[in-house]
Amino acid sequence: MNAIISASDLAKDLAGARPPVLLDVRWQLTAAKAAGEPPFDGRAAYEAGHLPGAVYVDLDRELASAPGKGGRHPLPDLGQFGTAMRRAGVSAGTPVVVYDGGQGWAAARAWWLLRWTGHPDVRVLDGALPSWEGPLDKTVPAPAEGDFVPEPGAGLLDADAAAALARSGVLLDARAGERYRGEVEPIDPVAGHIPGAVSAPTTENVGADGRFLPAGELRARFEGLGVTEGARVGVYCGSGVSAAHEVLALAAAGIPAELYVGSWSEWSSDPDRPVAVGPDPR
């Protein structure tokens, strides 16, 4: 099954006999700007216009727990996550399509959580909301309660497993290159990267239009980063959001990968964890 879906194929599916549940996960990693400008409000953006029938999902409250020792976006309480998904109409036997406002990172986080907890049919809208050419709606739907019950599976890394994978397999750092090198760190307490991790900014998995590169180009990119046939692959970022987008890109290329959800925000908060700087993985 493809991990992504085009806007044209989504329009066909929505008009078909088995339309997918639509989840709108608009979110931005932004702080309040100067002059008192408020931070991004995903729900307000959703209410101003969304794909017809889409239900809003709050990344910070429903796809993550409160920030703490586990990082800035640790795993959500699975009971609360399941409740949120059922409220949105998600059932185990119904396909799901997730989108956000542009980057694709938040949608990928929802995709990864649903896949990790056992949903068999989840895709992300390639190119996000800007790729949709149909009408938008301001009506907030009230879907029938779904029956999805999350059951965690494989594909999750903790800090120790990520450290081990950096030595035995391929651990990709999805953040911007300057953060990986330790030149800047605008959010977390320490700059640098996990020793042995390879710099692989997730922004390089998409073209100028925000759509994923073709599968062959993605495979070639990851091969150039050391992802060989049969290699075990893991990904981290700042807090397990943009890294989910890289796991999605790997899936689109036919490469399974694991996610370190705590990511750099968890790793860098532990003074006993080693830190590497510069362009070299070690």
Side-chain angles (χ1 to χ4, degrees):
M1 186 195 72
N2 290 332
I4 57 177
I5 184 171
S6 68
S8 58
D9 284 345
L10 174 58
K12 293 175 185 175
D13 285 359
L14 289 171
R18 192 167 171 254
V21 171
L22 290 177
L23 303 181
D24 183 312
V25 196
R26 270 179 272 186
W27 170 88
Q28 289 180 13
L29 181 60
T30 54
K33 298 179 181 179
E37 188 174 339
F40 177 78
D41 186 336
R43 177 169 289 280
Y46 164 82
E47 291 176 351
H50 52 265
L51 269 62
V55 177
Y56 177 71
V57 176
D58 190 311
L59 185 148
D60 289 315
R61 293 178 175 84
E62 296 173 321
L63 304 182
S65 295
K69 291 183 179 180
R72 283 184 279 109
H73 289 103
L75 288 174
D77 175 86
L78 291 185
Q80 293 178 347
F81 173 65
T83 296
M85 293 299 98
R86 291 188 293 274
R87 172 190 59 80
V90 174
S91 290
T94 305
V96 178
V97 172
V98 192
Y99 71 92
D100 59 27
Q103 281 183 312
W105 296 1
R109 172 71 175 227
W111 167 84
W112 181 86
L113 274 168
L114 281 164
R115 294 291 293 148
W116 176 64
T117 55
H119 198 288
D121 190 351
V122 190
R123 289 172 289 176
V124 170
L125 176 59
D126 195 16
L129 185 62
S131 71
W132 181 253
E133 296 182 353
L136 298 181
D137 194 359
K138 295 184 179 181
T139 303
V140 177
E145 182 87 359
D147 64 16
F148 178 68
V149 178
E151 296 288 346
L156 176 67
L157 298 172
D158 61 14
D160 289 339
L165 184 54
R167 298 188 296 268
S168 64
V170 182
L171 182 65
L172 302 176
D173 185 318
R175 299 173 300 160
E178 59 268 24
R179 291 184 68 191
Y180 169 88
R181 295 187 296 271
E183 296 166 2
V184 298
E185 183 44 67
I187 304 171
D188 295 312
V190 179
H193 61 267
I194 296 173
V198 177
S199 180
T202 197
T203 52
E204 295 179 14
N205 295 321
V206 299
D209 59 359
R211 292 177 172 85
F212 281 102
L213 301 176
E217 291 183 28
L218 288 172
R219 281 193 296 272
R221 179 186 186 227
F222 292 123
E223 287 172 1
L225 294 170
V227 178
T228 56
E229 184 73 26
R232 187 181 172 198
V233 182
V235 189
Y236 76 95
C237 59
S239 65
V241 178
S242 66
H245 190 268
E246 186 127 297
V247 173
L248 176 62
L250 285 153
I255 303 168
E258 299 168 90
L259 177 66
Y260 172 26
V261 171
S263 285
W264 189 247
S265 59
E266 178 186 43
W267 184 280
S268 62
S269 66
D270 184 346
D272 293 330
R273 296 284 179 187
V275 172
V277 295
D280 187 89
R282 302 293 174 186

